[in-house]
Amino acid sequence: MKVKDVVEDTPDDPGNPDLNPGEVVQIGDDGDNTLRGSDENEMFSGGAGNDVILAGGGNDRLNGTDKFSRGVGEIDNLNGEAGRDVFLLGDQDGSFYVGGEFADFAIIRDFSSGEDRFVLSGSSSDYRVADGSNGNAFILTQNGNDAVANVLNQSAADLNLDSQDFIYV
């Protein structure tokens, strides 16, 4: 696994996938990566493969995939840990993890409503939330049965697609 750390300065916007001032970036390669953060504000991109991101403290942005693989065929584990975290599940080009129904999605391990946020492509009408057999919520595409994310320790009733917990691009 190759991991690249860089620091750059760009505007401070939690919904913007670009960097914030002083933000550290960790980028995985096309294999199965484990990226571990610190107490700094960080941006993670797992790349292709089944990745595990353990963000640590700080206000972090977690993306288990990249603009090339877009999460197809991947199951990524995203754990923001402490801080106000943003889970990137799509961009202006569309949702990540689409095409494999329940064979590819992000597992969100520690979402906290009112503190953390999801970034999705489009609008709330493009998605629905449903409970899985294990009681954890799934974020699904509206036209089809494509799982975008499995949000652990949250039920469908806990997630409101029209709330401030969701940012649409």
Side-chain angles (χ1 to χ4, degrees), residues 84-117:
R84 297 176 60 88
D85 301 311
V86 177
F87 299 95
L88 301 168
L89 302 174
D91 60 18
Q92 61 275 13
D93 294 326
S95 296
F96 299 150
Y97 307 101
V98 173
E101 295 185 355
F102 282 85
D104 49 11
F105 53 87
I107 299 171
I108 310 298
R109 297 202 169 269
D110 69 333
F111 178 77
S112 178
S113 180
E115 180 176 318
D116 299 326
R117 293 195 175 162

PDB file of all heavy atoms in Angstrom, residues 84-117:
ATOM      1  N   ARG A  84     -16.221  16.366  14.226  1.00  0.00           N
ATOM      2  CA  ARG A  84     -17.329  16.585  13.287  1.00  0.00           C
ATOM      3  C   ARG A  84     -16.858  16.077  11.928  1.00  0.00           C
ATOM      4  O   ARG A  84     -16.063  16.737  11.270  1.00  0.00           O
ATOM      5  CB  ARG A  84     -17.688  18.059  13.226  1.00  0.00           C
ATOM      6  CG  ARG A  84     -18.180  18.591  14.571  1.00  0.00           C
ATOM      7  CD  ARG A  84     -18.446  20.082  14.534  1.00  0.00           C
ATOM      8  NE  ARG A  84     -19.469  20.422  13.547  1.00  0.00           N
ATOM      9  CZ  ARG A  84     -20.776  20.433  13.785  1.00  0.00           C
ATOM     10  NH1 ARG A  84     -21.214  20.121  14.990  1.00  0.00           N
ATOM     11  NH2 ARG A  84     -21.634  20.757  12.854  1.00  0.00           N
ATOM     12  N   ASP A  85     -17.372  14.932  11.513  1.00  0.00           N
ATOM     13  CA  ASP A  85     -16.876  14.278  10.315  1.00  0.00           C
ATOM     14  C   ASP A  85     -17.879  14.349   9.172  1.00  0.00           C
ATOM     15  O   ASP A  85     -19.086  14.447   9.385  1.00  0.00           O
ATOM     16  CB  ASP A  85     -16.551  12.815  10.630  1.00  0.00           C
ATOM     17  CG  ASP A  85     -15.502  12.707  11.727  1.00  0.00           C
ATOM     18  OD1 ASP A  85     -14.479  13.391  11.627  1.00  0.00           O
ATOM     19  OD2 ASP A  85     -15.744  11.962  12.692  1.00  0.00           O
ATOM     20  N   VAL A  86     -17.352  14.296   7.959  1.00  0.00           N
ATOM     21  CA  VAL A  86     -18.157  14.306   6.744  1.00  0.00           C
ATOM     22  C   VAL A  86     -17.845  13.024   5.978  1.00  0.00           C
ATOM     23  O   VAL A  86     -16.678  12.737   5.684  1.00  0.00           O
ATOM     24  CB  VAL A  86     -17.850  15.542   5.873  1.00  0.00           C
ATOM     25  CG1 VAL A  86     -18.643  15.503   4.577  1.00  0.00           C
ATOM     26  CG2 VAL A  86     -18.149  16.827   6.645  1.00  0.00           C
ATOM     27  N   PHE A  87     -18.903  12.260   5.677  1.00  0.00           N
ATOM     28  CA  PHE A  87     -18.771  11.016   4.927  1.00  0.00           C
ATOM     29  C   PHE A  87     -19.175  11.282   3.486  1.00  0.00           C
ATOM     30  O   PHE A  87     -20.334  11.592   3.206  1.00  0.00           O
ATOM     31  CB  PHE A  87     -19.656   9.927   5.552  1.00  0.00           C
ATOM     32  CG  PHE A  87     -19.275   9.606   6.971  1.00  0.00           C
ATOM     33  CD1 PHE A  87     -19.913  10.217   8.034  1.00  0.00           C
ATOM     34  CD2 PHE A  87     -18.264   8.695   7.242  1.00  0.00           C
ATOM     35  CE1 PHE A  87     -19.566   9.937   9.341  1.00  0.00           C
ATOM     36  CE2 PHE A  87     -17.896   8.397   8.547  1.00  0.00           C
ATOM     37  CZ  PHE A  87     -18.547   9.017   9.600  1.00  0.00           C
ATOM     38  N   LEU A  88     -18.217  11.187   2.565  1.00  0.00           N
ATOM     39  CA  LEU A  88     -18.448  11.485   1.156  1.00  0.00           C
ATOM     40  C   LEU A  88     -18.961  10.237   0.453  1.00  0.00           C
ATOM     41  O   LEU A  88     -18.230   9.263   0.286  1.00  0.00           O
ATOM     42  CB  LEU A  88     -17.169  11.989   0.503  1.00  0.00           C
ATOM     43  CG  LEU A  88     -16.584  13.252   1.146  1.00  0.00           C
ATOM     44  CD1 LEU A  88     -15.173  13.522   0.648  1.00  0.00           C
ATOM     45  CD2 LEU A  88     -17.476  14.441   0.896  1.00  0.00           C
ATOM     46  N   LEU A  89     -20.231  10.271   0.043  1.00  0.00           N
ATOM     47  CA  LEU A  89     -20.881   9.119  -0.600  1.00  0.00           C
ATOM     48  C   LEU A  89     -21.286   9.423  -2.035  1.00  0.00           C
ATOM     49  O   LEU A  89     -21.981   8.618  -2.672  1.00  0.00           O
ATOM     50  CB  LEU A  89     -22.111   8.703   0.217  1.00  0.00           C
ATOM     51  CG  LEU A  89     -21.827   8.336   1.671  1.00  0.00           C
ATOM     52  CD1 LEU A  89     -23.124   8.089   2.427  1.00  0.00           C
ATOM     53  CD2 LEU A  89     -20.908   7.126   1.745  1.00  0.00           C
ATOM     54  N   GLY A  90     -20.860  10.552  -2.544  1.00  0.00           N
ATOM     55  CA  GLY A  90     -21.154  10.936  -3.914  1.00  0.00           C
ATOM     56  C   GLY A  90     -20.540  12.282  -4.215  1.00  0.00           C
ATOM     57  O   GLY A  90     -20.042  12.972  -3.326  1.00  0.00           O
ATOM     58  N   ASP A  91     -20.571  12.644  -5.505  1.00  0.00           N
ATOM     59  CA  ASP A  91     -20.090  13.951  -5.934  1.00  0.00           C
ATOM     60  C   ASP A  91     -21.003  14.469  -7.036  1.00  0.00           C
ATOM     61  O   ASP A  91     -22.049  13.864  -7.309  1.00  0.00           O
ATOM     62  CB  ASP A  91     -18.626  13.878  -6.376  1.00  0.00           C
ATOM     63  CG  ASP A  91     -18.374  12.930  -7.538  1.00  0.00           C
ATOM     64  OD1 ASP A  91     -19.328  12.564  -8.263  1.00  0.00           O
ATOM     65  OD2 ASP A  91     -17.211  12.540  -7.749  1.00  0.00           O
ATOM     66  N   GLN A  92     -20.625  15.549  -7.678  1.00  0.00           N
ATOM     67  CA  GLN A  92     -21.477  16.139  -8.701  1.00  0.00           C
ATOM     68  C   GLN A  92     -21.682  15.212  -9.895  1.00  0.00           C
ATOM     69  O   GLN A  92     -22.614  15.406 -10.679  1.00  0.00           O
ATOM     70  CB  GLN A  92     -20.935  17.506  -9.156  1.00  0.00           C
ATOM     71  CG  GLN A  92     -19.567  17.459  -9.775  1.00  0.00           C
ATOM     72  CD  GLN A  92     -18.424  17.501  -8.780  1.00  0.00           C
ATOM     73  OE1 GLN A  92     -18.619  17.339  -7.573  1.00  0.00           O
ATOM     74  NE2 GLN A  92     -17.220  17.706  -9.266  1.00  0.00           N
ATOM     75  N   ASP A  93     -20.881  14.174 -10.028  1.00  0.00           N
ATOM     76  CA  ASP A  93     -21.025  13.223 -11.128  1.00  0.00           C
ATOM     77  C   ASP A  93     -21.926  12.038 -10.785  1.00  0.00           C
ATOM     78  O   ASP A  93     -22.187  11.204 -11.635  1.00  0.00           O
ATOM     79  CB  ASP A  93     -19.654  12.698 -11.566  1.00  0.00           C
ATOM     80  CG  ASP A  93     -18.798  13.794 -12.176  1.00  0.00           C
ATOM     81  OD1 ASP A  93     -19.360  14.700 -12.834  1.00  0.00           O
ATOM     82  OD2 ASP A  93     -17.571  13.759 -11.976  1.00  0.00           O
ATOM     83  N   GLY A  94     -22.386  11.936  -9.540  1.00  0.00           N
ATOM     84  CA  GLY A  94     -23.288  10.867  -9.153  1.00  0.00           C
ATOM     85  C   GLY A  94     -22.914  10.220  -7.833  1.00  0.00           C
ATOM     86  O   GLY A  94     -21.929  10.584  -7.190  1.00  0.00           O
ATOM     87  N   SER A  95     -23.725   9.253  -7.455  1.00  0.00           N
ATOM     88  CA  SER A  95     -23.511   8.522  -6.201  1.00  0.00           C
ATOM     89  C   SER A  95     -22.373   7.523  -6.342  1.00  0.00           C
ATOM     90  O   SER A  95     -22.155   6.962  -7.410  1.00  0.00           O
ATOM     91  CB  SER A  95     -24.775   7.755  -5.815  1.00  0.00           C
ATOM     92  OG  SER A  95     -25.822   8.641  -5.561  1.00  0.00           O
ATOM     93  N   PHE A  96     -21.678   7.280  -5.240  1.00  0.00           N
ATOM     94  CA  PHE A  96     -20.691   6.210  -5.183  1.00  0.00           C
ATOM     95  C   PHE A  96     -21.417   4.913  -4.824  1.00  0.00           C
ATOM     96  O   PHE A  96     -22.537   4.934  -4.306  1.00  0.00           O
ATOM     97  CB  PHE A  96     -19.626   6.499  -4.126  1.00  0.00           C
ATOM     98  CG  PHE A  96     -18.836   7.769  -4.362  1.00  0.00           C
ATOM     99  CD1 PHE A  96     -18.322   8.481  -3.302  1.00  0.00           C
ATOM    100  CD2 PHE A  96     -18.617   8.263  -5.637  1.00  0.00           C
ATOM    101  CE1 PHE A  96     -17.590   9.640  -3.487  1.00  0.00           C
ATOM    102  CE2 PHE A  96     -17.889   9.424  -5.850  1.00  0.00           C
ATOM    103  CZ  PHE A  96     -17.370  10.115  -4.767  1.00  0.00           C
ATOM    104  N   TYR A  97     -20.782   3.791  -5.069  1.00  0.00           N
ATOM    105  CA  TYR A  97     -21.271   2.459  -4.684  1.00  0.00           C
ATOM    106  C   TYR A  97     -22.557   2.073  -5.419  1.00  0.00           C
ATOM    107  O   TYR A  97     -23.384   1.348  -4.884  1.00  0.00           O
ATOM    108  CB  TYR A  97     -21.484   2.358  -3.161  1.00  0.00           C
ATOM    109  CG  TYR A  97     -20.273   2.763  -2.360  1.00  0.00           C
ATOM    110  CD1 TYR A  97     -20.191   4.018  -1.761  1.00  0.00           C
ATOM    111  CD2 TYR A  97     -19.192   1.892  -2.218  1.00  0.00           C
ATOM    112  CE1 TYR A  97     -19.068   4.393  -1.040  1.00  0.00           C
ATOM    113  CE2 TYR A  97     -18.063   2.272  -1.498  1.00  0.00           C
ATOM    114  CZ  TYR A  97     -18.014   3.520  -0.909  1.00  0.00           C
ATOM    115  OH  TYR A  97     -16.898   3.883  -0.191  1.00  0.00           O
ATOM    116  N   VAL A  98     -22.734   2.525  -6.636  1.00  0.00           N
ATOM    117  CA  VAL A  98     -23.946   2.216  -7.394  1.00  0.00           C
ATOM    118  C   VAL A  98     -23.616   1.199  -8.485  1.00  0.00           C
ATOM    119  O   VAL A  98     -22.615   1.332  -9.184  1.00  0.00           O
ATOM    120  CB  VAL A  98     -24.548   3.499  -8.017  1.00  0.00           C
ATOM    121  CG1 VAL A  98     -25.692   3.181  -8.946  1.00  0.00           C
ATOM    122  CG2 VAL A  98     -25.014   4.432  -6.906  1.00  0.00           C
ATOM    123  N   GLY A  99     -24.469   0.200  -8.616  1.00  0.00           N
ATOM    124  CA  GLY A  99     -24.314  -0.782  -9.678  1.00  0.00           C
ATOM    125  C   GLY A  99     -24.293  -2.211  -9.191  1.00  0.00           C
ATOM    126  O   GLY A  99     -24.572  -3.130  -9.930  1.00  0.00           O
ATOM    127  N   GLY A 100     -23.986  -2.412  -7.928  1.00  0.00           N
ATOM    128  CA  GLY A 100     -23.888  -3.766  -7.410  1.00  0.00           C
ATOM    129  C   GLY A 100     -24.976  -4.132  -6.423  1.00  0.00           C
ATOM    130  O   GLY A 100     -24.855  -5.119  -5.710  1.00  0.00           O
ATOM    131  N   GLU A 101     -26.020  -3.308  -6.365  1.00  0.00           N
ATOM    132  CA  GLU A 101     -27.113  -3.481  -5.401  1.00  0.00           C
ATOM    133  C   GLU A 101     -26.549  -3.566  -3.991  1.00  0.00           C
ATOM    134  O   GLU A 101     -26.078  -2.579  -3.466  1.00  0.00           O
ATOM    135  CB  GLU A 101     -27.997  -4.657  -5.776  1.00  0.00           C
ATOM    136  CG  GLU A 101     -28.723  -4.424  -7.099  1.00  0.00           C
ATOM    137  CD  GLU A 101     -29.706  -5.510  -7.456  1.00  0.00           C
ATOM    138  OE1 GLU A 101     -29.788  -6.527  -6.749  1.00  0.00           O
ATOM    139  OE2 GLU A 101     -30.405  -5.322  -8.456  1.00  0.00           O
ATOM    140  N   PHE A 102     -26.543  -4.747  -3.361  1.00  0.00           N
ATOM    141  CA  PHE A 102     -26.016  -4.879  -2.004  1.00  0.00           C
ATOM    142  C   PHE A 102     -24.619  -5.502  -1.982  1.00  0.00           C
ATOM    143  O   PHE A 102     -24.146  -5.950  -0.949  1.00  0.00           O
ATOM    144  CB  PHE A 102     -26.982  -5.682  -1.128  1.00  0.00           C
ATOM    145  CG  PHE A 102     -28.155  -4.870  -0.664  1.00  0.00           C
ATOM    146  CD1 PHE A 102     -29.275  -4.738  -1.469  1.00  0.00           C
ATOM    147  CD2 PHE A 102     -28.129  -4.211   0.544  1.00  0.00           C
ATOM    148  CE1 PHE A 102     -30.358  -3.973  -1.060  1.00  0.00           C
ATOM    149  CE2 PHE A 102     -29.198  -3.435   0.965  1.00  0.00           C
ATOM    150  CZ  PHE A 102     -30.312  -3.322   0.164  1.00  0.00           C
ATOM    151  N   ALA A 103     -23.940  -5.497  -3.128  1.00  0.00           N
ATOM    152  CA  ALA A 103     -22.587  -6.048  -3.200  1.00  0.00           C
ATOM    153  C   ALA A 103     -21.527  -4.975  -3.004  1.00  0.00           C
ATOM    154  O   ALA A 103     -20.348  -5.295  -2.865  1.00  0.00           O
ATOM    155  CB  ALA A 103     -22.373  -6.751  -4.538  1.00  0.00           C
ATOM    156  N   ASP A 104     -21.929  -3.703  -3.008  1.00  0.00           N
ATOM    157  CA  ASP A 104     -20.964  -2.618  -2.797  1.00  0.00           C
ATOM    158  C   ASP A 104     -21.646  -1.467  -2.065  1.00  0.00           C
ATOM    159  O   ASP A 104     -22.713  -1.011  -2.454  1.00  0.00           O
ATOM    160  CB  ASP A 104     -20.350  -2.150  -4.122  1.00  0.00           C
ATOM    161  CG  ASP A 104     -21.360  -1.870  -5.224  1.00  0.00           C
ATOM    162  OD1 ASP A 104     -22.566  -1.821  -4.941  1.00  0.00           O
ATOM    163  OD2 ASP A 104     -20.929  -1.705  -6.366  1.00  0.00           O
ATOM    164  N   PHE A 105     -21.014  -1.028  -0.979  1.00  0.00           N
ATOM    165  CA  PHE A 105     -21.528   0.096  -0.189  1.00  0.00           C
ATOM    166  C   PHE A 105     -20.481   0.475   0.851  1.00  0.00           C
ATOM    167  O   PHE A 105     -19.515  -0.253   1.077  1.00  0.00           O
ATOM    168  CB  PHE A 105     -22.867  -0.233   0.489  1.00  0.00           C
ATOM    169  CG  PHE A 105     -22.879  -1.492   1.314  1.00  0.00           C
ATOM    170  CD1 PHE A 105     -22.492  -1.481   2.647  1.00  0.00           C
ATOM    171  CD2 PHE A 105     -23.283  -2.694   0.755  1.00  0.00           C
ATOM    172  CE1 PHE A 105     -22.493  -2.643   3.407  1.00  0.00           C
ATOM    173  CE2 PHE A 105     -23.303  -3.861   1.500  1.00  0.00           C
ATOM    174  CZ  PHE A 105     -22.905  -3.835   2.832  1.00  0.00           C
ATOM    175  N   ALA A 106     -20.694   1.624   1.475  1.00  0.00           N
ATOM    176  CA  ALA A 106     -19.843   2.050   2.584  1.00  0.00           C
ATOM    177  C   ALA A 106     -20.513   1.648   3.888  1.00  0.00           C
ATOM    178  O   ALA A 106     -21.726   1.773   4.031  1.00  0.00           O
ATOM    179  CB  ALA A 106     -19.643   3.561   2.548  1.00  0.00           C
ATOM    180  N   ILE A 107     -19.729   1.157   4.820  1.00  0.00           N
ATOM    181  CA  ILE A 107     -20.209   0.885   6.172  1.00  0.00           C
ATOM    182  C   ILE A 107     -19.771   2.062   7.036  1.00  0.00           C
ATOM    183  O   ILE A 107     -18.580   2.328   7.180  1.00  0.00           O
ATOM    184  CB  ILE A 107     -19.643  -0.438   6.723  1.00  0.00           C
ATOM    185  CG1 ILE A 107     -20.076  -1.610   5.853  1.00  0.00           C
ATOM    186  CG2 ILE A 107     -20.075  -0.636   8.179  1.00  0.00           C
ATOM    187  CD1 ILE A 107     -19.387  -2.922   6.187  1.00  0.00           C
ATOM    188  N   ILE A 108     -20.761   2.781   7.560  1.00  0.00           N
ATOM    189  CA  ILE A 108     -20.487   3.958   8.396  1.00  0.00           C
ATOM    190  C   ILE A 108     -20.603   3.508   9.846  1.00  0.00           C
ATOM    191  O   ILE A 108     -21.661   3.100  10.293  1.00  0.00           O
ATOM    192  CB  ILE A 108     -21.487   5.101   8.111  1.00  0.00           C
ATOM    193  CG1 ILE A 108     -21.587   5.384   6.608  1.00  0.00           C
ATOM    194  CG2 ILE A 108     -21.126   6.341   8.917  1.00  0.00           C
ATOM    195  CD1 ILE A 108     -20.318   5.841   5.946  1.00  0.00           C
ATOM    196  N   ARG A 109     -19.506   3.576  10.588  1.00  0.00           N
ATOM    197  CA  ARG A 109     -19.461   2.970  11.915  1.00  0.00           C
ATOM    198  C   ARG A 109     -19.814   3.896  13.069  1.00  0.00           C
ATOM    199  O   ARG A 109     -20.076   3.418  14.158  1.00  0.00           O
ATOM    200  CB  ARG A 109     -18.093   2.354  12.160  1.00  0.00           C
ATOM    201  CG  ARG A 109     -17.819   1.233  11.191  1.00  0.00           C
ATOM    202  CD  ARG A 109     -16.763   0.286  11.712  1.00  0.00           C
ATOM    203  NE  ARG A 109     -16.732  -0.895  10.867  1.00  0.00           N
ATOM    204  CZ  ARG A 109     -17.444  -1.983  11.091  1.00  0.00           C
ATOM    205  NH1 ARG A 109     -18.224  -2.054  12.143  1.00  0.00           N
ATOM    206  NH2 ARG A 109     -17.365  -3.004  10.268  1.00  0.00           N
ATOM    207  N   ASP A 110     -19.786   5.205  12.873  1.00  0.00           N
ATOM    208  CA  ASP A 110     -20.006   6.059  14.052  1.00  0.00           C
ATOM    209  C   ASP A 110     -20.669   7.382  13.706  1.00  0.00           C
ATOM    210  O   ASP A 110     -20.257   8.430  14.196  1.00  0.00           O
ATOM    211  CB  ASP A 110     -18.688   6.305  14.783  1.00  0.00           C
ATOM    212  CG  ASP A 110     -17.747   7.179  13.991  1.00  0.00           C
ATOM    213  OD1 ASP A 110     -17.843   7.190  12.757  1.00  0.00           O
ATOM    214  OD2 ASP A 110     -16.921   7.878  14.609  1.00  0.00           O
ATOM    215  N   PHE A 111     -21.714   7.342  12.921  1.00  0.00           N
ATOM    216  CA  PHE A 111     -22.422   8.570  12.567  1.00  0.00           C
ATOM    217  C   PHE A 111     -23.149   9.123  13.776  1.00  0.00           C
ATOM    218  O   PHE A 111     -23.841   8.408  14.496  1.00  0.00           O
ATOM    219  CB  PHE A 111     -23.422   8.319  11.441  1.00  0.00           C
ATOM    220  CG  PHE A 111     -24.209   9.534  11.087  1.00  0.00           C
ATOM    221  CD1 PHE A 111     -23.636  10.539  10.333  1.00  0.00           C
ATOM    222  CD2 PHE A 111     -25.498   9.700  11.551  1.00  0.00           C
ATOM    223  CE1 PHE A 111     -24.339  11.682  10.032  1.00  0.00           C
ATOM    224  CE2 PHE A 111     -26.222  10.839  11.255  1.00  0.00           C
ATOM    225  CZ  PHE A 111     -25.640  11.830  10.487  1.00  0.00           C
ATOM    226  N   SER A 112     -23.017  10.430  14.006  1.00  0.00           N
ATOM    227  CA  SER A 112     -23.698  11.113  15.103  1.00  0.00           C
ATOM    228  C   SER A 112     -24.502  12.278  14.527  1.00  0.00           C
ATOM    229  O   SER A 112     -23.924  13.268  14.061  1.00  0.00           O
ATOM    230  CB  SER A 112     -22.665  11.617  16.117  1.00  0.00           C
ATOM    231  OG  SER A 112     -23.311  12.309  17.154  1.00  0.00           O
ATOM    232  N   SER A 113     -25.836  12.151  14.555  1.00  0.00           N
ATOM    233  CA  SER A 113     -26.716  13.178  14.017  1.00  0.00           C
ATOM    234  C   SER A 113     -26.475  14.509  14.718  1.00  0.00           C
ATOM    235  O   SER A 113     -26.290  14.564  15.927  1.00  0.00           O
ATOM    236  CB  SER A 113     -28.175  12.750  14.199  1.00  0.00           C
ATOM    237  OG  SER A 113     -29.038  13.738  13.691  1.00  0.00           O
ATOM    238  N   GLY A 114     -26.471  15.587  13.937  1.00  0.00           N
ATOM    239  CA  GLY A 114     -26.228  16.917  14.486  1.00  0.00           C
ATOM    240  C   GLY A 114     -24.762  17.263  14.584  1.00  0.00           C
ATOM    241  O   GLY A 114     -24.402  18.418  14.806  1.00  0.00           O
ATOM    242  N   GLU A 115     -23.900  16.275  14.443  1.00  0.00           N
ATOM    243  CA  GLU A 115     -22.456  16.497  14.507  1.00  0.00           C
ATOM    244  C   GLU A 115     -21.804  16.146  13.179  1.00  0.00           C
ATOM    245  O   GLU A 115     -21.038  16.925  12.626  1.00  0.00           O
ATOM    246  CB  GLU A 115     -21.852  15.652  15.636  1.00  0.00           C
ATOM    247  CG  GLU A 115     -20.363  15.821  15.788  1.00  0.00           C
ATOM    248  CD  GLU A 115     -19.820  15.045  16.971  1.00  0.00           C
ATOM    249  OE1 GLU A 115     -20.462  15.056  18.038  1.00  0.00           O
ATOM    250  OE2 GLU A 115     -18.758  14.429  16.828  1.00  0.00           O
ATOM    251  N   ASP A 116     -22.075  14.963  12.664  1.00  0.00           N
ATOM    252  CA  ASP A 116     -21.489  14.478  11.416  1.00  0.00           C
ATOM    253  C   ASP A 116     -22.442  14.734  10.257  1.00  0.00           C
ATOM    254  O   ASP A 116     -23.630  15.013  10.457  1.00  0.00           O
ATOM    255  CB  ASP A 116     -21.203  12.976  11.514  1.00  0.00           C
ATOM    256  CG  ASP A 116     -20.218  12.641  12.628  1.00  0.00           C
ATOM    257  OD1 ASP A 116     -19.307  13.447  12.876  1.00  0.00           O
ATOM    258  OD2 ASP A 116     -20.372  11.572  13.242  1.00  0.00           O
ATOM    259  N   ARG A 117     -21.916  14.600   9.037  1.00  0.00           N
ATOM    260  CA  ARG A 117     -22.737  14.815   7.842  1.00  0.00           C
ATOM    261  C   ARG A 117     -22.391  13.804   6.756  1.00  0.00           C
ATOM    262  O   ARG A 117     -21.296  13.278   6.710  1.00  0.00           O
ATOM    263  CB  ARG A 117     -22.526  16.215   7.294  1.00  0.00           C
ATOM    264  CG  ARG A 117     -23.043  17.278   8.230  1.00  0.00           C
ATOM    265  CD  ARG A 117     -23.159  18.570   7.538  1.00  0.00           C
ATOM    266  NE  ARG A 117     -23.759  19.551   8.432  1.00  0.00           N
ATOM    267  CZ  ARG A 117     -23.689  20.833   8.231  1.00  0.00           C
ATOM    268  NH1 ARG A 117     -23.073  21.310   7.186  1.00  0.00           N
ATOM    269  NH2 ARG A 117     -24.270  21.656   9.058  1.00  0.00           N
TER     270      ARG A 117
END
